Amino acid sequence: MGTEQEYIVQREVLDQVRLDEVAEKGNWTTKPSLSERVKESLRCSVSKLKRTVVSWVPVLGWLPQYQFKENFAGDFISGCSVASMHLPQGMAYAPLAALPPVFGLYTSFFPVLIFVIFTTSKHISIGTFSVVSMMAGTVTQRLAPDQNFIVNGTNGSKVDTEARDAARVQIACALALLTGIFQILLGLVRFGFVVNYLSQPLIRAYTTASACQVACTQLKFLFGVSPALYSGPLSFVYTVVDVCRLLYKTRLVELIASLISLFVLIVIKQVNFRFKEKLFVPIPIELILVILGTIITHYGGLIGKFGISVVGKIPSGFRAPFVPNASYFPSIVGDAFSLAIVSYTINIALSKTFAFKYGYRVDNNQELVAVGLSNTIGSFFYCYNVSSSMSRSLVQETTGCKTQVTGIISSVFMLIIIVKVGSLFEELPKAILSSIVFVNLTLMFMQLADVYTLWKTSKTDLLVWLVTFICTILLNLDIGLAAAVGFSLLTFIFRSQLPRYYILGLVPGTDLYLDIETYREAKEIPGIKIFRSSATMYHISSEMYLDALEKKTGFDLETLLMAKRKREAAQKRKEEKELKKATQGNQEQNKLRRLLNGRFFFKKSRMSEEEFPEGQTSTKGPDMGEVNWGYQRDTSMFKLDSVTSFQSVDSIKKFPQIDEEEKGRFSGSDTHSIILDMTTTSFVDVATVNTLKKIFRDFEELHLDVYLAGC
């Protein structure tokens, strides 16, 4: 055992004036002046131009330095793997946006190329995403519902699907354009921090509820039923009830195809996960399933025999670019802003996750511009809203992706598929695509476990999670997001307005000061109260801070100060009364003294000097009476009274007399110091200063010392 050593640190205790003197406080600044900054911004040089161009177009920075031998093999394998997922997911997610599958293929090509040029992230896969597709679908179905395109034919009324799809494509492209404009503008004004206002519980709850909404839309394909189309609040509930009501009409072939697809996808994805270290590349089960499903449907004649629902016509090649119809902007501005925030939030969350893992930096604002340009430029080529996909990004990362070249490789494969191969999948059953959507939502369904985690860690975050989830499920994606953000901001306001206050105590044998109500071993230091707030003190919470301080320390300031002032007033009246009595007594004694010691003009006294009593003398003078000097005034009593009176007044100021009833209001009769722990106070406003002044003034009047710690 080592011997304990004592360390004594001696240094000067500095006040603010002395600190400024020792540290040589000055008024200089290291920031350049406004004129210098303007000159620097206007100054042009080759190096500055290069830095500016590279910051806005990052591909010009990393592509010339690309190390082909070290990186290309991993990027090529990763690009092929991601392309094998783009095909089935693009075809599966396009119907979520109420669009034909071919538009999902377009969205898996053009935006990916644009994103590669402008992104600073290396590992995320941009393109179609279930939640974003679902949000876009609510807009297209709201503005172009089926009932607007009903025509009368020989077999009765039916929906003109070509006209409906054409209108929905116009709406989806306009929505993507406006979403991209919002994202670019926010990026240009350096507004990337806006994502910080969306807490992680809110984002995870919103994506989980969105996954439930997506799954709800796929139930009709899994069971082969045709429920009515619902939109707006409670559409989720209505759809589930309607599907359950139509279960007796389930098509057996489509249900079997769905169950087999779900089983195969789940098993193979588990194999990919468990043996990811041993497998050279993950098994592209989605692509394999799409190919097998198309072959079986075609050669088995399932369409003619059982009327199984398939994808339908997929035109080969690209369409000529067009300008989206801006007349839809007023009707979709709110949805576009919601999509801008949600798609960027998902994008930046994945980007930062991989950047942290592999040790490189991601520019928040540049990522906002990158996804905005992907949406904006893509909208001219029949693409709808894009975002990062969790499942594709994980595959891209685990298959050896090194750089953004992976996106170029996957785009090349998608180009081949769109031009030559896409039309081969016209007979792909929709039940298989729905199964792919369901299984890819597994990661988001697993976020339901957040409820248990948040219950153990933070009840407030759990409340945000539950409110967000319920609002999104019941009120739909757009209104649900607005309600969730509003509730999240309310919790922040309530947290700042209703912080937790506590008294700190020292844990024996340590230097830790903890809440005495939470930690049993934390003991108060005798005579000292250490008070702490869990949040900063400002104008909203300053009054509550003072109330909590009185409650926690046991000092009812108003009552104590009132009692003290009453005592002082009573004592003052008593002193004045005694002083008045003493003054009257002094006046009488002064009269007597003047009578005995003064000189009086008498006629000659009949008494001779011999006639005075023994011990008394007489002074005689011409025409003067005799003065008696034998009487001596005893002034000791007055001196004692004077000293006692002075000491009594001083004692009242220093040691106020408190009766037993008032002492009971104190938390401890030996308390002499109050320490305010200010470590959580990040700024000080006028209300805070006034509150602190009042605390110091009131406790000083009660003869208690107040200290600030951790300023």
Side-chain angles (χ1 to χ4, degrees):
M1 290 178 63
T3 58
E4 293 186 359
Q5 298 181 354
E6 286 190 5
Y7 295 91
I8 301 176
V9 179
Q10 294 182 345
R11 67 173 180 83
E12 181 184 359
V13 179
L14 307 176
D15 59 10
Q16 187 64 47
V17 177
R18 178 63 178 152
L19 174 63
D20 295 343
E21 179 183 346
V22 171
E24 298 184 3
K25 180 181 179 181
N27 295 322
W28 60 81
T29 177
T30 57
K31 293 179 64 175
S33 64
L34 178 61
S35 60
E36 291 174 344
R37 292 199 298 269
V38 172
K39 290 179 182 178
E40 181 63 27
S41 64
L42 297 177
R43 188 176 293 116
C44 186
S45 64
V46 176
S47 59
K48 184 179 179 180
L49 179 62
K50 181 179 178 181
R51 287 196 305 271
T52 303
V53 172
V54 170
S55 66
W56 286 106
V57 190
V59 69
L60 299 178
W62 60 263
L63 189 58
Q65 302 174 4
Y66 183 76
Q67 298 176 348
F68 189 85
K69 292 183 179 180
E70 290 81 0
N71 298 331
F72 184 74
D75 288 340
F76 181 80
I77 295 172
S78 179
C80 295
S81 302
V82 171
S84 68
M85 297 181 69
H86 267 304
L87 171 64
Q89 289 187 3
M91 297 176 66
Y93 293 156
L96 295 178
L99 302 175
V102 68
F103 295 97
L105 301 182
Y106 297 157
T107 307
S108 300
F109 174 70
F110 291 106
V112 176
L113 284 177
I114 303 301
F115 191 75
V116 166
I117 297 172
F118 295 98
T119 185
T120 57
S121 178
K122 301 178 181 179
H123 294 88
I124 61 172
S125 174
I126 202 78
T128 57
F129 183 54
S130 56
V131 173
V132 173
S133 300
M134 179 67 185
M135 294 179 70
T138 59
V139 180
T140 56
Q141 292 182 38
R142 185 184 75 237
L143 297 181
D146 286 347
Q147 54 265 29
N148 289 0
F149 301 93
I150 296 177
V151 294
N152 294 321
T154 55
N155 296 326
S157 60
K158 64 177 182 178
V159 177
D160 186 352
T161 56
E162 291 188 6
R164 181 201 63 187
D165 292 344
R168 289 179 175 178
V169 168
Q170 289 281 342
I171 296 169
C173 293
L175 181 64
L177 176 60
L178 187 56
T179 301
I181 291 173
F182 278 137
Q183 290 171 329
I184 293 172
L185 291 177
L186 292 175
L188 291 176
V189 298
R190 321 303 290 173
F191 210 65
F193 68 89
V194 69
V195 70
N196 297 330
Y197 288 92
L198 301 178
S199 64
Q200 187 179 19
L202 186 148
I203 295 171
R204 292 175 68 88
Y206 184 77
T207 53
T208 305
S210 301
C212 294
Q213 291 271 18
V214 171
C216 177
T217 62
Q218 300 303 297
L219 292 175
K220 60 182 180 181
F221 299 116
L222 291 178
F223 294 100
V225 295
S226 300
L229 295 177
Y230 299 96
S231 61
L234 298 180
S235 59
F236 176 86
V237 178
Y238 295 146
T239 302
V240 171
V241 171
D242 208 9
V243 169
C244 293
R245 185 177 58 83
L246 296 173
L247 284 179
Y248 72 96
K249 293 184 178 180
T250 299
R251 293 183 180 180
L252 190 60
V253 175
E254 296 192 19
L255 179 61
I256 293 174
S258 301
L259 294 176
I260 294 175
S261 300
L262 288 172
F263 177 77
V264 172
L265 285 168
I266 292 173
V267 171
I268 301 301
K269 282 184 176 289
Q270 285 295 317
V271 171
N272 286 339
F273 176 75
R274 292 182 179 276
F275 299 98
K276 59 183 177 181
E277 303 294 337
K278 298 181 180 180
L279 293 172
F280 184 66
V281 292
I283 301 172
I285 185 58
E286 293 173 332
L287 180 61
I288 295 173
L289 194 61
V290 166
I291 295 173
L292 289 177
T294 304
I295 293 174
I296 293 173
T297 303
H298 178 73
Y299 290 102
L302 299 183
I303 300 175
K305 293 180 180 178
F306 304 102
I308 192 170
S309 179
V310 295
V311 169
K313 185 178 180 181
I314 301 178
S316 298
F318 295 98
R319 300 187 180 193
F322 80 111
V323 178
N325 190 351
S327 63
Y328 290 108
F329 285 0
S331 304
I332 61 175
V333 61
D335 303 284
F337 190 79
S338 300
L339 273 162
I341 298 300
V342 172
S343 61
Y344 168 65
T345 300
I346 297 170
N347 188 71
I348 197 64
L350 285 172
S351 298
K352 286 189 173 294
T353 300
F354 292 121
F356 178 78
K357 182 176 181 179
Y358 290 96
Y360 61 89
R361 293 179 62 86
V362 170
D363 187 336
N364 288 5
N365 296 297
Q366 183 59 31
E367 289 302 299
L368 195 51
V369 172
V371 71
L373 287 171
S374 299
N375 278 315
T376 302
I377 298 175
S379 67
F380 291 91
F381 295 92
Y382 296 91
C383 301
Y384 65 94
N385 293 76
V386 297
S387 183
S388 301
S389 167
M390 288 187 250
S391 57
R392 288 198 311 270
S393 297
L394 288 172
V395 169
Q396 181 167 317
E397 183 253 342
T398 55
T399 52
C401 171
K402 303 294 183 182
T403 67
Q404 295 93 321
V405 170
T406 298
I408 300 175
I409 301 297
S410 68
S411 296
V412 171
F413 277 90
M414 288 305 301
L415 176 64
I416 298 172
I417 292 171
I418 294 171
V419 173
K420 294 293 183 183
V421 182
S423 59
L424 299 178
F425 297 100
E426 292 180 353
E427 296 183 353
L428 173 65
K430 290 182 178 180
I432 294 179
L433 292 179
S434 298
S435 302
I436 293 173
V437 172
F438 258 100
V439 175
N440 284 324
L441 293 173
T442 304
L443 290 175
M444 283 183 279
F445 288 142
M446 291 174 65
Q447 293 176 165
L448 289 168
D450 290 351
V451 174
Y452 176 79
T453 304
L454 294 175
W455 173 263
K456 296 291 185 180
T457 55
S458 174
K459 300 296 189 298
T460 305
D461 287 337
L462 173 62
L463 189 60
V464 171
W465 198 101
L466 292 175
V467 170
T468 302
F469 182 83
I470 294 171
C471 287
T472 306
I473 286 289
L474 298 181
L475 303 179
N476 224 340
L477 299 176
D478 46 1
I479 303 176
L481 178 62
V485 172
F487 182 79
S488 180
L489 293 176
L490 279 178
T491 60
F492 173 77
I493 294 172
F494 285 129
R495 278 179 173 181
S496 61
Q497 275 194 300
L498 300 173
R500 186 181 171 211
Y501 301 101
Y502 38 84
I503 296 293
L504 300 182
L506 178 64
V507 179
T510 70
D511 293 330
L512 301 176
Y513 291 85
L514 304 176
D515 178 16
I516 61 174
E517 295 179 0
T518 304
Y519 298 91
R520 184 179 299 176
E521 289 299 316
K523 306 297 182 184
E524 289 188 67
I525 300 174
I528 299 176
K529 296 285 186 182
I530 306 175
F531 180 74
R532 179 187 174 100
S533 169
S534 63
T536 189
M537 178 172 55
Y538 62 114
H539 64 278
I540 293 178
S541 60
S542 58
E543 187 174 345
M544 290 182 289
Y545 185 93
L546 180 57
D547 294 339
L549 175 63
E550 294 182 16
K551 182 179 179 182
K552 290 292 184 180
T553 57
F555 291 93
D556 188 346
L557 292 178
E558 184 178 356
T559 303
L560 292 174
L561 290 173
M562 188 179 299
K564 179 178 181 295
R565 289 163 186 166
K566 284 183 179 179
R567 288 194 305 272
E568 289 180 347
Q571 186 68 25
K572 186 176 180 181
R573 289 193 299 270
K574 183 178 179 182
E575 289 176 5
E576 290 175 350
K577 188 175 181 180
E578 292 177 354
L579 183 61
K580 186 176 181 180
K581 290 175 63 177
T583 303
Q584 291 175 352
N586 287 340
Q587 289 176 352
E588 292 177 359
Q589 291 176 5
N590 287 337
K591 288 180 181 179
L592 179 61
R593 184 179 62 185
R594 285 196 300 271
L595 179 63
L596 296 177
N597 297 341
R599 294 184 178 184
F600 302 95
F601 295 92
F602 285 97
K603 292 185 178 179
K604 271 193 177 180
S605 175
R606 296 178 183 178
M607 297 179 64
S608 62
E609 189 175 350
E610 294 84 10
E611 293 175 342
F612 275 83
E614 186 179 357
Q616 297 182 4
T617 59
S618 172
T619 303
K620 295 181 180 180
D623 300 325
M624 294 178 62
E626 290 85 5
V627 179
N628 185 358
W629 297 105
Y631 178 79
Q632 295 181 356
R633 183 167 63 95
D634 186 3
T635 60
S636 62
M637 181 179 69
F638 295 101
K639 291 179 181 178
L640 181 61
D641 287 346
S642 176
V643 173
T644 305
S645 176
F646 183 80
Q647 289 178 345
S648 176
V649 173
D650 186 61
S651 66
I652 290 173
K653 291 181 179 178
K654 292 185 177 179
F655 306 102
Q657 301 298 319
I658 303 172
D659 58 30
E660 293 301 322
E661 182 181 353
E662 289 169 344
K663 281 185 179 180
R665 297 192 185 100
F666 287 81
S667 62
S669 58
D670 59 344
T671 301
H672 55 77
S673 298
I674 306 290
I675 299 176
L676 305 181
D677 185 349
M678 308 296 290
T679 52
T680 58
T681 301
S682 56
F683 63 90
V684 175
D685 59 7
V686 175
T688 303
V689 173
N690 292 335
T691 300
L692 291 175
K693 284 182 179 180
K694 177 175 172 55
I695 290 171
F696 273 85
R697 183 182 67 246
D698 292 350
F699 279 103
E700 183 181 4
E701 192 172 346
L702 293 174
H703 309 289
L704 292 167
D705 296 324
V706 181
Y707 302 91
L708 299 181
C711 296

